[in-house]
């Protein structure tokens, strides 16, 4: 009886010890973190995504995938249920993308913020988060268009690089080579002229300076000519007055001579003769000045040749023309 009692006590002890160990393990391994459930809505496929796949927020693991299935209301959508830490900053602008776990081909859900600078407004539990396609997804969708574009480009390149076009390109390159050689020869021929160009420019500058000086001298001469013309006009007016005075004096002397003829005393006749001679001299001087007014400035010129003198025939011919 005593042996059975000891065995029963030992069995109860072991049973209680096992229950205590199981409770301790459950206590230390139990997850008491508060979790929040969200639903990721995918319009495209979710390749490589499995249950218990990790969920990361900006690279930090915050939960896992707990369900994957089609939307009963819209079969074109896939609903992915995720469970994340309640303290995770999931906002109303958060969107999801699929990421690859190394080279295994398995995917995980990556949560990203659309606008990192916007004020954080936490999303309500159970909210739906849109799944955006990745770069590889967009490339896969646009792959046929890219291939069609590459094919069209290759076809155009084939047409561009046809035999005729290649021959034309070769001839063009040959002409370009010849043009470059001709340009080199022309530059070599122009180098001496280019070296002489500074001297020519200097001579042109000197010539322009001389021309400017000549123009200034011409302007000065023109001003002097205008002044000389005005002086000549004034002198001609004086000569006109002298001529008028001479004519008046001659008329007066003639009248005086006529009035005194016959009854003039013998002693007054020389006076009258002198007056007549003086009037004739004044008349001749006025006539000479009228014929050659420049004699006042430059002196009297030589008298014209008379009959029988040298140069008379040329003067007569010039007068008859």
């Amino acid at each position: 009886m005593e042996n059975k009692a000891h065995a029963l006590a030992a069995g109860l002890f072991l049973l209680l010890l096992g229950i205590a160990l199981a409770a301790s393990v459950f206590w230390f391994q139990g997850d008491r973190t508060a979790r929040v459930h969200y639903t990721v809505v995918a319009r495209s496929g979710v390749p490589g995504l499995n249950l218990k796949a990790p969920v990361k927020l900006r690279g930090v693991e915050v939960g896992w995938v707990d369900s994957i299935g089609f939307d009963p209301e819209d079969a074109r959508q896939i609903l992915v249920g995720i469970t994340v830490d309640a303290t995770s900053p999931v906002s109303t602008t958060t969107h999801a993308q699929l990421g690859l776990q190394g080279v295994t081909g398995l995917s995980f859900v990556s949560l990203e913020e659309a606008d990192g600078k916007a004020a954080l407004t936490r999303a309500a539990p159970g909210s739906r988060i849109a799944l955006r396609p990745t770069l590889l997804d967009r490339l896969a969708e646009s792959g046929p268009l890219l291939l069609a574009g590459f094919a069209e480009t290759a076809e155009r390149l084939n047409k561009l690089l046809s035999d005729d076009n290649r021959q034309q390109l070769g001839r063009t390159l040959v002409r370009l080579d010849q043009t470059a050689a001709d340009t080199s020869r022309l530059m070599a021929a122009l180098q001496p002229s280019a070296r002489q160009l500074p001297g020519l420019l200097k001579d042109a500058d000197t010539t322009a300076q001389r021309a400017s000086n000549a123009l200034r001298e011409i302007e000065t001469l023109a001003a002097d000519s205008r002044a000389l013309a005005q002086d000549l006009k004034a002198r001609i007016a004086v000569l006109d007055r002298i001529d008028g005075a001479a004519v008046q004096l001659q008329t007066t002397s003639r009248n005086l001579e006529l009035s005194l003829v016959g009854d003039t005393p013998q002693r007054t006749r020389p006076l009258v003769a002198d007056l007549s001679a003086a009037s004739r001299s004044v008349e001749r001087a006025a006539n000479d000045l009228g014929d050659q007014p420049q004699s006042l400035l430059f002196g009297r010129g030589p008298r014209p040749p008379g009959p029988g003198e040298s140069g008379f025939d040329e003067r007569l011919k010039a007068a008859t023309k």
Side-chain angles (χ1 to χ4, degrees):
M1 291 294 295
E2 292 180 1
N3 292 332
K4 292 181 179 181
H6 288 297
L8 181 59
L12 291 174
F13 175 76
L14 291 175
L15 181 59
L16 293 175
L17 181 59
I19 293 173
L21 289 175
S24 299
V25 170
F26 179 78
W27 176 265
F28 287 108
Q29 290 185 355
D31 188 2
R32 297 178 180 82
T33 304
R35 301 288 179 176
V36 180
H37 181 78
Y38 295 102
T39 301
V40 177
V41 181
R43 298 290 299 181
S44 58
V46 286
L49 188 65
N50 298 319
L51 295 176
K52 300 301 180 179
V55 176
K56 296 181 180 181
L57 177 62
R58 295 197 294 271
V60 178
E61 186 171 346
V62 293
W64 61 85
V65 175
D66 56 14
S67 65
I68 300 175
F70 290 99
D71 188 354
E73 297 180 358
D74 187 357
R76 292 174 298 180
Q77 294 185 155
I78 299 175
L79 301 181
V80 178
I82 60 174
T83 300
V84 299
D85 188 353
T87 60
S88 300
V90 179
S91 67
T92 55
T93 61
T94 301
H95 65 274
Q97 282 186 331
L98 292 182
L100 294 177
Q101 302 184 50
V103 295
T104 60
L106 299 177
S107 301
F108 67 92
V109 177
S110 175
L111 301 179
E112 301 291 341
E113 291 291 335
D115 188 2
K117 297 181 180 179
L120 180 62
T121 302
R122 291 183 175 274
S127 301
R128 291 194 172 190
I129 300 174
L131 180 69
R132 295 185 180 181
T134 62
L135 178 60
L136 294 177
D137 294 335
R138 291 195 295 269
L139 289 176
E141 291 178 357
S142 60
L145 297 177
L146 292 175
L147 292 177
F150 288 148
E152 185 178 358
T153 303
E155 184 179 358
R156 292 183 178 180
L157 285 176
N158 289 332
K159 292 180 180 179
L160 180 63
L161 298 177
S162 62
D163 294 338
D164 295 338
N165 291 338
R166 286 199 298 270
Q167 292 176 2
Q168 181 67 27
L169 181 60
R171 290 192 294 269
T172 302
L173 292 177
V174 171
R175 292 194 187 96
L176 287 176
D177 191 13
Q178 293 175 356
T179 303
D182 295 340
T183 304
S184 299
R185 289 193 293 270
L186 179 61
M187 294 299 295
L190 289 176
Q191 284 181 357
S193 301
R195 286 193 292 269
Q196 295 176 1
L197 185 60
L200 294 176
L201 293 176
K202 186 177 181 180
D203 295 340
D205 190 12
T206 304
T207 304
Q209 186 67 27
R210 292 177 179 175
S212 179
N213 295 334
L215 288 175
R216 285 195 292 270
E217 292 177 358
I218 290 173
E219 291 177 355
T220 304
L221 290 176
D224 295 341
S225 299
R226 288 193 293 270
L228 180 60
Q230 294 176 357
D231 190 18
L232 286 176
K233 288 181 180 179
R235 292 179 183 273
I236 289 173
V238 173
L239 290 177
D240 290 339
R241 290 195 295 272
I242 292 174
D243 187 33
V247 172
Q248 186 177 3
L249 180 61
Q250 185 179 6
T251 303
T252 303
S253 64
R254 285 179 181 177
N255 293 334
L256 182 61
E257 184 178 359
L258 290 176
S259 64
L260 295 178
V261 170
D263 56 357
T264 304
Q266 187 69 27
R267 59 185 179 183
T268 61
R269 290 183 178 179
L271 177 60
V272 173
D274 292 339
L275 289 173
S276 178
S279 66
R280 286 191 294 271
S281 298
V282 171
E283 183 179 5
R284 283 195 301 271
N287 291 332
D288 291 341
L289 290 174
D291 294 336
Q292 297 181 351
Q294 68 274 16
S295 61
L296 288 174
L297 298 176
F298 307 107
R300 297 189 60 182
R303 294 180 61 84
E309 296 180 353
S310 177
F312 177 75
D313 295 336
E314 288 77 3
R315 177 179 172 227
L316 184 61
K317 291 179 181 179
T320 56
K321 286 184 179 179

